[in-house]
Amino acid sequence: MKILHTSDWHLGVSFEGISREEDHQFFINWLIDTLKEEQIDILIIAGDVFDQPQPSAEAQKIYYQFLFQVSKQTQVKKVIVLGGNHDSPSRLDAPSELLKLLDVFIVGGLNTNTNQLSRYLCPIYNINNEVELVIAVVPYIHEYKLGVRTSFQSEKEIQSNFKQKITEFYFNLAEEAEILAKNAPIMATGHLACVGCESDDAPLEVHMVGTLGGLPNDIFDPRFSYVALGHIHRAYHVENSNAYYCGSPIPLSIKESKTARYVQIVTFQSEKNHKPLIQKIEVPILRNIIEIKGNLEEISNILKNLSWKTAKPPLLAIQISVNTYIPGIDLEIRKNLNHLFFQNTPLIAYIRQIPILNNDSKKEYTEVVSLKDLTTEQVFIKMCESQNQIVDNDLLKAFRSLLNEENI
């Protein structure tokens, strides 16, 4: 049995106001072809299907058309969709009964009653109606849903409590999955930050314990032969475990454009104790995001020699070092680009003029930062500072708790 593991599509996302819809459609066309060529049996989308809890009509159209294409054009037996921290659990779950007709199994979020484990277990049957695999479908889990309270507790206490609760949840799922599976293998999913992640591997911290680093690898019951994870946008194996991240399939930031994008194919043997074969497949990219820095002359030379190997020209993020502000430079750069590349012109995401500061001007200059360059937490801190409010760890902890509750 062959499973394709993907995650973090973020349908509806934009980069500096430029829609990534065309990039997503390019990936989806490739994915449909790959599902057919590789004869994939199960497809897993491990959370953050959408970029916003209330996705645009265009983003939803891409999602539903894709599920219909999988049903009609491939041999995939089951599509597994789980909610991420960017998704609305209720919005994902709403059409789940209807999508069962297309063999789509959806778990948008965790119920408050975590004892109802059957909701999270998806058995896969062969042509003889025998179970050949059981998947424990675990979406993004807010601490609150597991009974973890953050008030009047230290970060260490929160982390310890959350680790205990989520470990118990995966253990209980493994117990139930084994009963269903009999002698067949079992696997699980998740949408969380685990050890090995870096601070900018995902758009925002997914848990209160994120400030202390990722969750430990021993939260996953070892009986799960493979754990398909989402949330981190970089592909890597969680050390000393059966858990893997496949990363985002299109580059969503400058950093992500510097590394290859992947999906992962997992091949299970029929025997329960055999380890699955794991294969990373590189995803072709429609276009990258390139950051260009330097003075005006250096920028001009870089643009003259700009080339790319992708199907479409890149998105450009340009930072020009200047002594004083140069009016009209944006228009001049855009005209030069059109002249250099004609109809195959790279799109400019932004052009920013960065002052060259000497020792005297450093004291006087305060960089003006756009709101869209700041996280929600950074905006909160700046607002507090403007009101002469001291921002301590307790205040930040309370704010993060409120922020995370938006996704409950």
Side-chain angles (χ1 to χ4, degrees):
M1 174 174 291
K2 296 178 80 172
I3 298 167
L4 192 142
H5 168 202
T6 180
S7 73
D8 296 272
W9 289 14
H10 288 271
L11 295 174
V13 73
S14 62
F15 181 78
E16 296 292 331
I18 298 174
S19 171
R20 308 303 303 282
E21 182 179 335
E22 194 176 4
D23 305 69
H24 276 122
Q25 196 58 63
F26 182 82
F27 160 66
I28 281 171
N29 293 341
W30 172 84
L31 182 57
I32 291 290
D33 290 340
T34 302
L35 293 172
K36 290 189 283 191
E37 291 168 9
E38 295 289 340
Q39 299 181 324
I40 299 298
D41 298 295
I42 310 294
L43 171 66
I44 294 175
I45 308 175
D48 283 353
V49 180
F50 298 107
D51 190 59
Q52 300 290 337
Q54 296 182 347
S56 66
E58 291 78 9
Q60 293 181 74
K61 183 178 179 181
I62 291 174
Y63 171 62
Y64 290 118
Q65 283 186 338
F66 168 75
L67 294 179
F68 182 75
Q69 284 179 285
V70 172
S71 175
K72 296 301 178 185
Q73 298 179 22
T74 76
Q75 299 301 310
V76 170
K77 293 180 181 180
K78 191 77 68 177
V79 178
I80 307 291
V81 180
L82 53 132
N85 57 300
H86 278 251
D87 299 310
S88 162
S90 57
R91 187 178 292 274
L92 272 188
D93 280 332
S96 59
E97 290 300 314
L98 182 62
L99 289 177
K100 283 180 181 179
L101 299 174
L102 300 180
D103 292 316
V104 180
F105 185 92
I106 301 174
V107 180
L110 198 70
N111 288 341
T112 305
N113 183 1
T114 55
N115 294 322
Q116 297 175 346
L117 297 178
S118 59
R119 163 176 158 76
Y120 311 102
L121 296 177
C122 180
I124 308 298
Y125 297 92
N126 60 21
I127 55 173
N128 298 320
N129 206 33
E130 299 166 334
V131 175
E132 53 182 343
L133 175 70
V134 175
I135 304 173
V137 184
V138 182
Y140 160 66
I141 302 176
H142 191 280
E143 295 91 311
Y144 186 86
K145 293 288 189 179
L146 291 176
V148 178
R149 299 297 180 262
T150 57
S151 302
F152 310 111
Q153 292 191 68
S154 68
E155 287 186 336
K156 194 170 184 180
E157 289 172 327
I158 297 168
Q159 185 186 47
S160 176
N161 195 6
F162 185 46
K163 180 198 168 184
Q164 179 189 347
K165 296 282 188 179
I166 200 168
T167 302
E168 287 175 0
F169 186 61
Y170 273 108
F171 174 83
N172 291 337
L173 283 171
E175 291 280 289
E176 293 295 318
E178 278 206 317
I179 295 170
L180 269 178
K182 298 180 181 176
N183 293 319
I186 63 175
M187 65 168 288
T189 71
H191 192 91
L192 46 80
C194 206
V195 288
C197 63
E198 299 171 3
S199 59
D200 55 355
D201 275 333
L204 49 83
E205 289 175 351
V206 72
H207 296 297
M208 284 288 293
V209 295
T211 54
L212 298 179
L215 288 161
N217 53 18
D218 57 357
I219 65 171
F220 306 113
D221 194 286
R223 287 173 288 182
F224 292 121
S225 301
Y226 182 88
V227 183
L229 295 178
H231 180 58
I232 301 303
H233 289 189
R234 173 172 56 89
Y236 76 94
H237 173 215
V238 179
E239 61 181 10
N240 301 318
S241 78
N242 293 328
Y244 292 80
Y245 288 98
C246 61
S248 55
I250 74 168
L252 302 172
S253 67
I254 293 168
K255 180 183 176 181
E256 290 176 31
S257 281
K258 295 176 182 178
T259 55
R261 304 287 96 198
Y262 296 99
V263 297
Q264 198 146 278
I265 294 178
V266 185
T267 305
F268 275 95
Q269 308 295 327
S270 56
E271 292 83 0
K272 177 179 177 180
N273 296 321
H274 278 204
K275 285 194 172 183
L277 175 67
I278 297 163
Q279 179 187 10
K280 284 168 72 173
I281 305 291
E282 186 170 346
V283 178
I285 299 302
L286 180 68
R287 56 184 170 176
N288 275 310
I289 305 169
I290 297 177
E291 185 177 48
I292 299 175
K293 293 181 177 181
N295 59 37
L296 193 53
E297 184 179 350
E298 290 167 338
I299 296 289
S300 296
N301 287 331
I302 292 170
L303 293 179
K304 284 177 185 176
N305 296 295
L306 190 65
S307 62
W308 54 87
K309 296 180 180 179
T310 52
K312 284 217 161 188
L315 302 179
L316 302 182
I318 301 174
Q319 290 191 20
I320 309 172
S321 301
V322 297
N323 290 310
T324 58
Y325 179 77
I326 307 173
I329 193 64
D330 293 31
L331 183 59
E332 185 180 332
I333 289 175
R334 293 175 193 278
K335 282 181 178 178
N336 286 340
L337 266 180
N338 287 331
H339 177 72
L340 286 168
F341 299 103
F342 301 104
Q343 295 184 3
N344 203 27
T345 306
L347 289 175
I348 295 178
Y350 61 76
I351 299 174
R352 292 175 184 154
Q353 298 186 42
I354 308 298
I356 300 170
L357 303 179
N358 55 38
N359 290 334
D360 293 331
S361 59
K362 280 180 184 176
K363 297 175 184 177
E364 301 174 1
Y365 176 75
T366 302
E367 185 179 359
V368 178
V369 182
S370 170
L371 267 179
K372 58 189 176 185
D373 293 330
L374 298 174
T375 65
T376 306
E377 186 172 305
Q378 288 170 330
V379 173
F380 173 71
I381 291 170
K382 286 185 178 293
M383 288 293 292
C384 289
E385 289 171 349
S386 71
Q387 301 296 320
N388 296 317
Q389 169 70 50
I390 296 173
V391 183
D392 57 19
N393 285 334
D394 289 338
L395 182 61
L396 276 180
K397 199 186 302 180
F399 176 75
R400 289 169 184 154
S401 180
L402 287 172
L403 191 65
N404 279 338
E405 284 180 12
E406 290 182 6
N407 291 316
I408 293 176

